Amino acid sequence: MRVLAALGHALALAGSMTWQVTWSLILGFTLSAIVQAVIRRQTVTRLLGDDTPRALALATGLGAASSSCSYAAVALARALFRRGAGFTAAMAFEIASTNLVIELGIILALLLSWQFTLAEFIGGPIMIASVAVAFRLFVRTRLIEAARRQADKGLAGSMEGHAAMDMSIAGGGSFRRRLASRDGYTSVSHIFVMEWAAVIRDIAAGLLIAGAVAAWVPDSFWQHLFLTGHPLAAKLWGPVIGPVISLLSFVCSIGNVPLAAVLWNGGISFGGVVAFIFADLIIIPILVIYRRYYGTAMMLTILGIFYATMVAAGYIVEFLFGWLGLIPAERTAKIASTGIQWNYTTVLNIVFLLLAAALVVRFFRSGGGPMLKMMGGSPDVPATDLAHPDSGHAGTQAGQGAEG
């Protein structure tokens, strides 16, 4: 009975967090789908042909408008690299795709506070700039060429089909006219459903792990681990240990935010939370994919540089926000089990669940169902094999963004 009670407590916490963030996730993915619907994949490839500051800035902006799925972002970064993008620009695109997206900012503000959203959107560009400097200083041309030869082998990783699909709106006209069209509605519905399909596993895993950790791990454990009795040591230790916990948790995309909320309540530093969230790109399954994509040497290089820059960004955010007085004084992340109550959260959930239902219905009525089977895909499937089945939506073709 005690085991069942403990399990019930963990599930109740996970369920409570799920109810708290449902509307925000739907809103975030809808806004992201609208942005992605008007940005063509070939435009992204064309603009990232080198590693100049302009290309890196464009990679950051275009990445922020792209998929929030870490696996799809990693696959798309290799696709861009194989098609001629600079390696550093591809990495900048990858980092922005998972750490500067709309839905991440919304869920951070809802579960933690707006300060964490601001920290993420300040720390992300800092990390990208640090990665660019580190690659320029420490990565030799022969290592990048070896990575390109390995990438050109086209070994499969994860979410290859999803990364290859270009579901943007075809045709010309203004953004407003394109979005208001029948094809615009179809494109947004396709991107919305495919994004959910790509990250739902990680979101569910993150919520369940966060619920279990909140229910079963005592506060004293976190207080000892995060050195909460020593304020300066805690600030220095948080960004170092945060990415390590993320690496071992196996949870990526925005699924690590619920666990970040648990860690914040447990005593990790502000910068430690930021570094933890950045580290979704160095979890063990993704390191295995890096090795397959670019070889062992480049995988280790990415791990070392990403980890160092995550820690550095965590330190900068910690001390900058501390100096500005922006670090929340209270550790009150929303992880308590509150149940369903008739309040603004319930109203918003009802409204946005109806919106999600309308988009899902449009997705299947417009022939999107077979796309779900293509998500795993192959990095080198011809465009004709991945063309979208909806004859009324000519702009949705995976081949436009597929690897060479």
Side-chain angles (χ1 to χ4, degrees):
M1 293 299 294
R2 186 174 299 177
V3 172
L4 292 177
L7 181 60
H9 186 201
L11 291 174
L13 289 173
S16 178
M17 282 187 282
T18 301
W19 186 249
Q20 291 292 328
V21 303
T22 294
W23 70 267
S24 64
L25 286 173
I26 295 172
L27 172 61
F29 279 111
T30 303
L31 294 175
S32 177
I34 290 171
V35 173
Q36 291 184 62
V38 296
I39 297 178
R40 305 297 297 275
R41 285 282 172 84
Q42 63 264 39
T43 302
V44 176
T45 305
R46 186 178 69 250
L47 295 174
L48 307 186
D50 52 42
D51 293 329
T52 61
R54 178 178 180 275
L56 293 176
L58 287 170
T60 301
L62 292 169
S66 185
S67 173
S68 62
C69 172
S70 300
Y71 292 102
V74 170
L76 183 53
R78 182 180 66 163
L80 295 172
F81 181 50
R82 291 183 67 188
R83 292 175 66 87
F87 188 79
T88 307
M91 293 297 102
F93 179 92
E94 176 183 303
I95 295 167
S97 292
T98 59
N99 292 300
L100 296 177
V101 290
I102 299 168
E103 50 269 36
L104 176 65
I106 294 175
I107 194 173
L108 276 171
L110 189 63
L111 275 186
L112 289 153
S113 69
W114 64 266
Q115 290 96 326
F116 287 92
T117 301
L118 180 62
E120 189 75 9
F121 283 88
I122 289 177
I126 291 173
M127 180 183 168
I128 290 170
S130 302
V131 165
V133 171
F135 269 101
R136 183 174 291 275
L137 291 177
F138 302 115
V139 179
R140 299 291 177 260
T141 302
R142 63 175 179 270
L143 179 57
I144 293 178
E145 290 307 313
R148 189 179 298 278
R149 290 192 297 271
Q150 179 68 21
D152 285 338
K153 294 179 181 179
L155 300 181
S158 180
M159 292 293 173
E160 301 282 359
H162 179 65
M165 294 179 188
D166 185 353
M167 294 171 279
S168 57
I169 307 167
S174 66
F175 287 168
R176 180 180 298 180
R177 178 175 295 181
R178 290 161 66 193
L179 283 172
S181 67
R182 179 176 179 273
D183 282 354
Y185 182 27
T186 300
S187 178
V188 170
S189 73
H190 290 175
I191 296 169
F192 176 84
V193 173
M194 295 299 289
E195 286 292 291
W196 267 103
V199 302
I200 189 65
R201 178 185 61 184
D202 289 299
I203 292 174
L207 288 164
L208 289 172
I209 290 172
V213 170
W216 299 339
V217 179
D219 291 341
S220 58
F221 172 83
W222 297 122
Q223 291 165 3
H224 283 93
L225 179 62
F226 299 138
L227 308 178
T228 57
H230 308 276
L232 179 59
K235 292 178 181 179
L236 297 176
W237 177 238
V240 174
I241 191 63
V244 176
I245 297 172
S246 181
L247 185 151
L248 297 175
S249 73
F250 283 61
V251 180
C252 62
S253 304
I254 57 178
N256 61 4
V257 177
L259 183 54
V262 174
L263 299 181
W264 172 245
N265 280 0
I268 194 172
S269 68
F270 186 79
V273 171
V274 173
F276 169 84
I277 294 170
F278 285 153
D280 63 336
L281 288 173
I282 58 169
I283 63 172
I284 291 174
I286 286 182
L287 292 177
V288 173
I289 293 174
Y290 286 145
R291 183 176 180 273
R292 189 173 298 161
Y293 281 179
Y294 307 119
T296 302
M298 184 57 86
M299 179 272 286
L300 293 173
T301 300
I302 292 172
L303 172 61
I305 288 177
F306 275 21
Y307 177 77
T309 54
M310 289 164 189
V311 173
Y315 282 145
I316 292 172
V317 166
E318 175 74 44
F319 290 104
L320 174 62
F321 276 57
W323 178 65
L324 294 173
L326 292 177
I327 296 178
E330 302 294 330
R331 296 179 179 269
T332 54
K334 296 180 180 178
I335 60 173
S337 178
T338 58
I340 298 176
Q341 302 173 354
W342 185 253
N343 53 21
Y344 81 94
T345 298
T346 299
V347 174
L348 289 172
N349 279 342
I350 292 172
V351 171
F352 282 97
L353 283 169
L354 290 173
L355 171 63
L359 292 171
V360 170
V361 168
R362 179 60 182 168
F363 174 81
F364 285 104
R365 285 186 174 177
S366 60
M371 295 171 65
L372 295 171
K373 299 178 181 179
M374 302 177 189
M375 291 184 65
S378 167
D380 292 309
V381 173
T384 53
D385 291 341
L386 283 173
H388 189 273
D390 175 28
S391 58
H393 183 49
T396 306
Q397 285 188 329
Q400 293 167 343
E403 300 180 65

